[in-house]
Amino acid sequence: MTARTPGGAVSTSGPAAAPPPGGRPPLRSRTVFAAAHVVADPYADTTPDGPAVLDWDATLAFRHHLWSHGLGVAEAMDTAQRGTGLDWPAAAELIRRSGAEARAAGGRLVCGAGTDQITAGSLAAIRAAYEEQLAVVEAAGAQAVLMASRALAATARGPEDYLDIYGHLLRQAAQPVVLHWLGAMFDPALAGYWGSADLDAATDTLLAVIATHPGKVDGVKISLLDAPRERALRRRLPPGVRCYTGDDFHYPELIEGDEQGFSHALLGVFDPLAPLAAEAVHHLDTGDPAGFRELLDPTVTLARHLFQEPTRHYKTGVVLLAWLAGHQSHFTMVGGLQSARSLPHLHRAHELAAALGLFPDPDLAAHRMRRLLSVYGAEDAFPTPGAPA
């Protein structure tokens, strides 16, 4: 039976629950956040351009799943379809609700603060949009991630505008924030961020922002899919400023690190990989880097598949795997983005995830995959792992 939740969304699952007894303790050797997806209301009468409507119970229950494995939750980020279906009113409500759930569960939470309530404007308007979102995040009791802004990328005349905007925000932030560098492969509108298409020059500007306000920057979340560049950046960060890898291609080697340091993690791929990722990092906690790599290295093939070009559509595969794993009752996304990947792509994602043992109930996953294929008349075109021949 379904029921309407506050705000008009349909609940298609039970209420969000506290972490189960015996849930994993927080990780010690690395700070690890899984950027979490949202669960759409499949019964909402809306359009791809219309307001986002969420199944709040299923969305929040998935956050408890992540916390139960000892991971932190990165909320209202790119994985939650910020800028690709999740509008600011829905994101603000998501931040408020997740903040309340984090307090109840004792879970760690960071939330994205950006400017997506506007599409363009003056630097003053961009600053005001950031301030509005930062206030919502701080009121929810969460740490802020200052997300890269499409409006700022379109408006800024050069590095000095980034220094001005970020300097203003850092001066007023109540606690240290995470800065966010999302590459153009994730969002083409962010090309030339930090005031230059030259990544070396952009890095210098980012480091100048940090150097001006070092006590207000907890870390930098870098998503450029460029492991050498990430290693070079983290070696230049001031003491006490973390590097959070957002590299969904090279995360095992970057998190393990080398003699000159390591990266923490804020990763969309850790949404479907949560149990394996947590188990792997516990090996680092006990001084077993070989065990960490043994668990995590085999997941890279799936990650590279999910994040293949166009990279921004990785969310479709993430939501597919959540449905196949039983975390939600349907494969529907805000903005209709369940259609953003091909059937062969989705089928291969199922194959790779099944081979990793990611599904608590492999038979359920196989059944659901065949149901999806049958909708398109393709159930006989692809063999389904775990399904009868």
Side-chain angles (χ1 to χ4, degrees), residues 204-219:
D204 289 342
T205 301
L206 170 61
L207 290 169
V209 169
I210 298 169
T212 306
H213 305 278
K216 286 297 189 77
V217 179
D218 168 77

Side-chain angles (χ1 to χ4, degrees), residues 92-343:
E93 182 66 13
L94 178 63
I95 290 166
R96 295 185 189 102
R97 291 185 183 230
S98 290
E101 296 295 321
R103 290 192 296 274
R108 188 163 184 177
L109 182 72
V110 296
C111 297
T115 65
D116 49 327
Q117 70 271 54
I118 63 173
T119 56
S122 66
L123 291 177
I126 291 167
R127 188 173 72 184
Y130 263 129
E131 289 173 338
E132 177 189 355
Q133 296 202 14
L134 181 60
V136 170
V137 172
E138 291 182 342
Q143 183 181 16
V145 180
L146 293 183
M147 299 180 69
S149 163
R150 291 175 177 174
L152 182 55
T155 303
R157 295 157 295 182
E160 65 280 357
D161 288 336
Y162 288 87
L163 291 166
D164 177 64
I165 290 289
Y166 279 92
H168 181 87
L169 295 170
L170 290 173
R171 283 191 295 272
Q172 65 177 281
Q175 62 174 310
V177 306
V178 177
L179 301 180
H180 180 240
W181 189 0
L182 193 67
M185 70 288 294
F186 287 94
D187 187 345
L190 298 175
Y193 211 74
W194 303 111
S196 178
D198 181 329
L199 293 181
D200 291 335
T203 298
D204 289 342
T205 301
L206 170 61
L207 290 169
V209 169
I210 298 169
T212 306
H213 305 278
K216 286 297 189 77
V217 179
D218 168 77
V220 177
K221 193 263 193 188
I222 179 169
S223 299
L224 298 180
L225 304 183
D226 184 335
R229 183 168 295 279
E230 179 173 323
R231 281 191 287 266
L233 171 63
R234 80 185 182 202
R235 291 166 185 167
R236 297 177 64 188
L237 292 174
V241 177
R242 297 180 176 96
C243 180
Y244 291 96
T245 187
D247 188 329
D248 301 278
F249 286 179
H250 306 101
Y251 52 92
E253 64 190 78
L254 291 165
I255 296 170
E256 180 188 9
D258 55 31
E259 65 281 356
Q260 293 181 279
F262 57 82
S263 296
H264 300 273
L266 197 164
L267 286 163
V269 77
F270 278 4
D271 176 302
L273 293 182
L276 272 177
E279 181 66 28
V281 177
H282 276 290
H283 280 276
L284 289 181
D285 290 349
T286 59
D288 179 18
F292 167 81
R293 294 297 293 267
E294 184 178 353
L295 279 174
L296 216 53
D297 281 355
T299 68
V300 172
T301 301
L302 172 62
R304 286 180 173 270
H305 178 75
L306 295 176
F307 286 78
Q308 68 183 211
E309 294 183 351
T311 304
R312 65 186 181 277
H313 291 317
Y314 75 88
K315 281 82 77 172
T316 301
V318 166
V319 173
L320 172 83
L321 296 182
W323 174 55
L324 297 181
H327 293 297
Q328 56 194 78
S329 63
H330 59 87
F331 178 44
T332 304
M333 298 175 65
V334 296
L337 284 187
Q338 67 273 11
S339 64
R341 291 293 200 188
S342 68
L343 286 180

Side-chain angles (χ1 to χ4, degrees), residues 5-6 8-14 16 35-44 46 51-66 75-82 85-86 90-91 94 97-98 271 315-316 318-338 368:
T5 62
V10 169
S11 169
T12 57
S13 67
H37 75 281
V38 293
V39 183
D41 172 4
Y43 304 107
T46 186
V53 185
L54 302 186
D55 176 343
W56 289 111
D57 284 349
T59 294
L60 296 173
F62 191 78
R63 276 83 184 136
H64 283 274
H65 159 70
L66 297 174
E75 186 60 277
M77 300 286 293
D78 185 56
T79 306
Q81 296 182 246
R82 288 295 290 272
L86 188 74
L94 178 63
R97 291 185 183 230
S98 290
D271 176 302
K315 281 82 77 172
T316 301
V318 166
V319 173
L320 172 83
L321 296 182
W323 174 55
L324 297 181
H327 293 297
Q328 56 194 78
S329 63
H330 59 87
F331 178 44
T332 304
M333 298 175 65
V334 296
L337 284 187
Q338 67 273 11
R368 288 184 167 182

